[in-house]
Amino acid sequence: MTEAYIYDAARTPRGKGRPDGSLHEVTSVALSARLLDAVKERNGLEGHAVEDVIWGNATQVMEQGGCLARSAVLASQLDESIPGLSINRFCASGMEAMNLAANQIRGGSGEAYIAGGVEMMSRVAMGSDGAAIAVDPALTFKTYFVPQGISADIIATQYGFSREDADALAVESQRRAAIAISEGRFAKSIVPVRDQNGLIILDHDEFPRPNTTMESLGALKPSFKDMGEMMPGFDKVAMLKYPHLSAINHIHHAGNSSGIVDGAAAVLIGNREFGEKHGLKPRARIRDTAKIGTDPTIMLTGPVPVTEKILCESGLSIGDIDLFEVNEAFASVVLRFMQAFEVDPSLVNVNGGAMALGHPLGATGAMIIGTLLDELERQDKQIGLATLCVASGMGAATIIERV
């Protein structure tokens, strides 16, 4: 089987996902196009250099609707002969775009792809697509649907995580992100966003709150307690599914959940011949990919079974993995991952995660691959695993190995 290699990984800074966020003036298509241009320029790509652009985004309506990938190609400086494919696996869309590209290459369909994703959460609100999983009664009754925040609280209740556990992880995420930013660990991958006049709009992640403390988080009210307990209440729905739980412990709030942000990320993936043709050196090979479906009510436990699956298929053990990126959708997701595999916390999300930096849904999967690769290089380590929980009960994972 042909090997698939990562030649480049780039991302925009994450902007606050609000009307006063720095990237709010930029459309999803424009942000994607500017990042595609950066990948083209950084790697000297001309003509039909890549087979396709595979682009993920989670809320595919309005400016993020249609085939956003093709629109981004046409808005960019890439050759118009390059097509585009938009995909949606919710929070794992950026990773799934990358995994799909890698597996196309491994199967012999094209020499190279640009894959990644975008989410402009300040412009296209999460949930504005009216997804059936949340609004169709025939489906919600069957799946015992509850909002993701309730699912995160169910994980905390089921596996014994306290508010203090979650807040401590959030404070640590902020601390690690602050160190990473101060030491320039993201500089290799970040592409500043400029306006039409070439002036910089944003060149750094603007969401982190480095002064976060246990005391400041302790003052925040649980975000999902009211929606869980008010009649008829999602807690009652959850306990129909899990009757062994006498109550749901609501521990999550804005400080120990992922931040709403804007951003895009791209990965250039190709075979060995592509690199030789373009004078590019591979940075890592994509060793394995995996996806799985899980319980749609608790919803966010996917990183555990998908990691079990990818380790089994790759012939690796958890001890063979040098570094981990586990998306911090909610604190309990990462706490459960570390509990399940007895992983040393110092190896997980070394540079902080989405609680500090934010989670631009369709882009995050590709972003954390780039962060993982940069950190493997910085520490001179070999193998990394990235994984995300996914809405409606799924999980996705990728293992990369430096070359």
Side-chain angles (χ1 to χ4, degrees), residues 51-285:
E51 185 74 13
D52 204 353
V53 171
I54 306 179
W55 214 239
N57 63 288
T59 309
Q60 298 189 346
V61 294
M62 297 180 289
E63 68 185 52
Q64 291 185 172
C67 184
L68 190 153
R70 177 58 174 166
S71 297
V73 170
L74 295 175
S76 76
Q77 299 302 312
L78 290 177
D79 194 279
E80 67 179 15
S81 67
I82 298 170
L85 171 65
S86 290
I87 67 166
N88 182 0
R89 202 187 291 279
F90 299 123
C91 300
S93 297
M95 176 178 285
E96 193 60 42
M98 205 192 81
N99 290 351
L100 178 58
N103 290 327
Q104 294 268 64
I105 291 167
R106 294 164 88 179
S109 181
E111 289 191 343
Y113 290 73
I114 299 174
V118 67
E119 207 78 33
M120 293 299 296
M121 300 182 76
S122 71
R123 298 177 62 90
V124 183
M126 179 171 53
S128 58
D129 53 349
I133 189 66
V135 302
D136 183 344
L139 184 57
T140 59
F141 290 164
K142 178 183 178 182
T143 59
Y144 294 88
F145 172 81
V146 299
Q148 285 191 24
I150 302 291
S151 299
D153 288 337
I154 296 171
I155 294 173
T157 307
Q158 174 85 358
Y159 295 102
F161 305 126
S162 68
R163 168 75 180 256
E164 289 71 26
D165 294 332
D167 285 358
L169 186 67
V171 170
E172 180 64 8
S173 181
Q174 295 284 354
R175 187 188 73 83
R176 293 183 184 188
I179 292 172
I181 291 168
S182 68
E183 294 184 356
R185 296 184 190 177
F186 303 138
K188 182 188 295 185
S189 295
I190 285 185
V191 175
V193 180
R194 300 175 183 272
D195 64 16
Q196 294 179 339
N197 298 313
L199 300 177
I200 291 177
I201 299 173
L202 187 66
D203 61 1
H204 64 279
D205 295 313
E206 70 173 347
F207 188 78
R209 302 172 297 278
N211 296 323
T212 299
T213 64
M214 292 292 288
E215 290 72 25
S216 64
L217 294 186
L220 299 177
K221 293 179 59 177
S223 296
F224 310 103
K225 183 178 175 66
D226 289 345
M227 73 169 65
E229 294 181 351
M230 67 181 182
M231 293 301 294
F234 287 109
D235 285 5
K236 298 294 186 183
V237 175
M239 287 186 284
L240 287 172
K241 183 74 171 285
Y242 314 113
H244 62 284
L245 300 179
S246 59
I248 306 299
N249 183 19
H250 293 287
I251 70 167
H252 289 92
H253 50 74
N256 58 28
S257 306
S258 55
I260 294 174
V261 297
D262 299 328
V267 182
L268 176 62
I269 305 168
N271 60 19
R272 181 75 70 175
E273 290 72 23
F274 168 79
E276 292 171 351
K277 183 186 299 185
H278 293 273
L280 301 173
K281 182 180 179 181
R283 296 173 62 188
R285 74 181 176 105

